[in-house]
Amino acid sequence: MVDIATRVWNHKWKIDPIVRSLIDNDFYKLLMCQSIFRNRPDAHVTFSLINRSSNIRLAELIDEGELREQLDHIQSLSLSRGESTFLRGNTFYGKRQMFRPDFMEWFENMRLPDYHLEKRDGQFELTFEGKWHEVMLWEIPALAVLMELRGRAVLHDMRKFELQVLYARAMTKLWEKIDHLRTLPDLRIADFGTRRRHSYLWQDWCVQAMVEGLGNNFVGTSNCHIAMKRDLEAIGTNAHELPMVFSALAENDTALRQAPYKVLADWHDEHEGNLRIILPDTYGTEGFLKGAPDWLAGWTGIRIDSGDPATGAETAIRWWKARGEDPTKKLVIFSDGLDTAKIAELHMQFAGRVRVSFGWGTLLTNDFRGLTQDDGLAPFSMVCKAIKANGKPTVKLSDNPNKAMGPASEIERYKRVFGVGQQEEMDVIV
């Protein structure tokens, strides 16, 4: 087991780079990358960092030169032989050769494209522009770098024993959470915490703790590199990015209304089983399900990622029943702002009514709340999103209007096209 405090104390970044592999990334990004490589290879997309917690003035905490060093290091990375063998030959979701030979040949020779970085009003403006299947692979590493550099800035002046005590307290805090989760019968839970983790070493420690504490109830990790290293299932399907970009590329309102379903039709042709998970909230869950084609009701399950999670699950249950499906055979994955109390509540509320699973993110891999002066290590809300596609703005509405993004005029257009009415505002935890 790595002594994290000592590694932090003796830190040399070339020994512990924040991102150490091209597959130190979420599995869903690789699945989507292959789909985009196949279906939209010429789409030109811009991604941008968005710090929702504007009180965290990142450009005043993080040295720009150090940030550039880390980003430049990521651009130098390529797949190792072992990583290529893992992706080409491993079984994912019960299927061998999930990644096609033409995609793997491209990926083995790929280097991440250039980035643009500048400071403005105490924040970093970080953007990536280019072919969609290339620039999309910046999202998770960029978030991980900024999260970890912010943490390193807070830890910089701590002495060795202070660090030892800090990490001992954080480990105890997580183990108490695991002890709580052990009491839940038939729990299914995975690590979804790469994008806002405290550090790579800490995420790896958290995953090992979950393995030891929960055994088979811990079903895997979204992080491909850790999955490979720890011989775990790589977990993930698709994200809001797909319908956001497909919708931006739509030529008129009619095509826009069908774009979220066109995305899933492509996915349906490529994947089966537990990879057929609907993410319905990009433009509002109620409207999405109301207009969904019948074949989507046959998919394995649904992921609830915004709004009130219980309301989202009840909506899905009613929809399945109305379409003649048995909800007890369907999978509901909760993944928004989870911690142990909410996990336990949802698990007990829906046990026996659906197959329940959880993707536990920031409050698994970055819960240092209350452990430092002025709560300097508390997690905050930062995303890296596609903001333009072929020069046209992207939009996300979500089931929580506080997560909406895009130009105001386009948000109103999308609300009209997708029939989104009054929405309940909820705090964005992480």
Side-chain angles (χ1 to χ4, degrees):
M1 184 67 71
V2 171
D3 181 347
I4 299 175
T6 298
R7 286 278 276 272
V8 172
W9 174 254
N10 294 325
H11 178 69
K12 297 290 186 294
W13 86 264
K14 290 187 185 299
I15 297 173
D16 276 333
I18 292 173
V19 175
R20 54 200 68 202
S21 163
L22 274 183
I23 66 167
D24 181 10
N25 209 320
D26 279 338
F27 186 57
Y28 79 86
K29 290 298 273 190
L30 301 190
L31 290 175
M32 292 199 311
C33 186
Q34 177 171 248
S35 181
I36 294 160
F37 177 83
R38 177 185 177 188
N39 297 304
R40 295 281 180 158
D42 297 325
H44 190 93
V45 174
T46 302
F47 280 76
S48 179
L49 183 77
I50 302 168
N51 183 4
R52 292 169 174 159
S53 304
S54 57
N55 61 305
I56 307 294
R57 298 176 66 82
L58 291 174
E60 296 173 5
L61 289 169
I62 295 170
D63 178 75
E64 182 179 344
E66 189 172 2
L67 174 55
R68 288 185 181 276
E69 272 193 312
Q70 294 287 349
L71 296 174
D72 291 345
H73 171 72
I74 295 171
Q75 280 192 285
S76 76
L77 295 172
S78 60
L79 282 189
S80 72
R81 183 177 299 175
E83 291 163 353
S84 177
T85 300
F86 170 71
L87 293 177
R88 283 181 179 271
N90 195 49
T91 298
F92 300 102
Y93 284 81
K95 182 177 179 180
R96 253 187 211 287
Q97 295 181 324
M98 177 77 75
F99 296 101
R100 295 153 44 115
D102 58 341
F103 172 75
M104 284 304 307
E105 184 175 348
W106 167 80
F107 195 24
E108 287 161 350
N109 292 284
M110 194 272 298
R111 302 292 186 279
L112 287 179
D114 288 338
Y115 60 88
H116 177 77
L117 176 68
E118 60 182 272
K119 291 181 179 179
R120 183 167 297 171
D121 299 328
Q123 301 291 350
F124 287 114
E125 290 193 354
L126 179 59
T127 57
F128 314 94
E129 185 175 351
K131 289 185 176 180
W132 185 9
H133 57 284
E134 295 177 351
V135 295
M136 67 177 295
L137 294 175
W138 265 117
E139 177 188 352
I140 307 301
L143 291 171
V145 162
L146 283 154
M147 283 288 174
E148 187 161 346
L149 285 179
R150 182 261 196 160
R152 289 181 182 184
V154 174
L155 299 175
H156 184 268
D157 294 327
M158 284 192 176
R159 294 171 293 180
K160 186 173 183 178
F161 282 96
E162 285 183 291
L163 289 168
Q164 293 282 5
V165 171
L166 171 69
Y167 282 103
R169 286 174 174 168
M171 289 174 179
T172 300
K173 187 176 188 179
L174 176 57
W175 195 254
E176 288 173 350
K177 292 185 181 188
I178 292 172
D179 261 344
H180 184 195
L181 294 177
R182 280 172 162 171
T183 65
L184 303 179
D186 302 317
L187 177 69
R188 286 175 49 88
I189 191 165
D191 158 42
F192 276 18
T194 300
R195 66 181 54 226
R196 298 191 191 98
R197 68 192 182 195
H198 171 72
S199 71
Y200 174 86
L201 294 177
W202 182 249
Q203 183 183 13
D204 188 37
W205 188 91
C206 292
V207 166
Q208 292 177 76
M210 294 283 277
V211 169
E212 181 167 318
L214 296 178
N216 292 333
N217 296 115
F218 180 64
V219 297
T221 174
S222 66
N223 187 291
C224 285
H225 194 253
I226 293 175
M228 181 183 74
K229 184 165 74 169
R230 301 296 172 193
D231 194 23
L232 295 167
E233 290 285 343
I235 302 292
T237 54
N238 55 70
H240 302 105
E241 175 185 338
L242 284 178
M244 286 173 66
V245 173
F246 268 62
S247 297
L249 297 174
E251 295 182 355
N252 52 50
D253 286 358
T254 300
L256 171 60
R257 184 71 183 87
Q258 293 303 314
Y261 308 121
K262 174 64 171 69
V263 171
L264 297 184
D266 289 345
W267 196 265
H268 188 91
D269 290 341
E270 296 169 1
H271 300 296
E272 56 191 21
N274 283 346
L275 283 172
R276 289 183 178 174
I277 301 295
I278 303 167
L279 181 62
D281 68 316
T282 309
Y283 304 120
T285 295
E286 288 273 5
F288 176 91
L289 294 179
K290 184 177 179 180
D294 289 340
W295 53 265
L296 264 180
W299 273 30
T300 302
I302 199 167
R303 180 158 72 91
I304 310 295
D305 195 56
S306 66
D308 178 68
T311 300
E314 295 289 1
T315 299
I317 288 171
R318 289 194 301 271
W319 180 68
W320 280 319
K321 287 181 176 178
R323 298 296 180 101
E325 298 286 337
D326 181 358
T328 64
K329 297 180 180 179
K330 298 296 185 178
L331 179 64
V332 173
I333 303 171
F334 297 101
S335 61
D336 181 33
L338 297 173
D339 208 3
T340 48
K342 180 56 71 173
I343 291 169
E345 177 188 330
L346 293 168
H347 181 77
M348 298 307 293
Q349 183 174 351
F350 291 98
R353 301 180 62 200
V354 293
R355 295 162 52 216
V356 180
S357 188
F358 299 92
W360 194 12
T362 307
L363 296 181
L364 167 63
T365 61
N366 198 3
D367 190 3
F368 285 70
R369 294 172 298 175
L371 300 183
T372 56
Q373 185 176 1
D374 300 324
D375 222 7
L377 285 180
F380 64 101
S381 184
M382 181 170 61
V383 295
C384 184
K385 293 290 188 183
I387 61 167
K388 289 182 182 178
N390 287 355
K392 297 171 65 177
T394 62
V395 172
K396 180 185 176 187
L397 299 180
S398 178
D399 285 329
N400 178 2
N402 288 338
K403 284 188 171 184
M405 56 164 286
S409 60
E410 284 297 286
I411 287 176
E412 290 307 311
R413 175 190 170 219
Y414 275 61
K415 283 184 174 180
R416 172 179 56 79
V417 169
F418 290 105
V420 177
Q422 188 67 31
Q423 292 179 298
E424 180 183 355
E425 292 189 4
M426 301 180 66
D427 290 339
V428 179
I429 300 173
V430 285

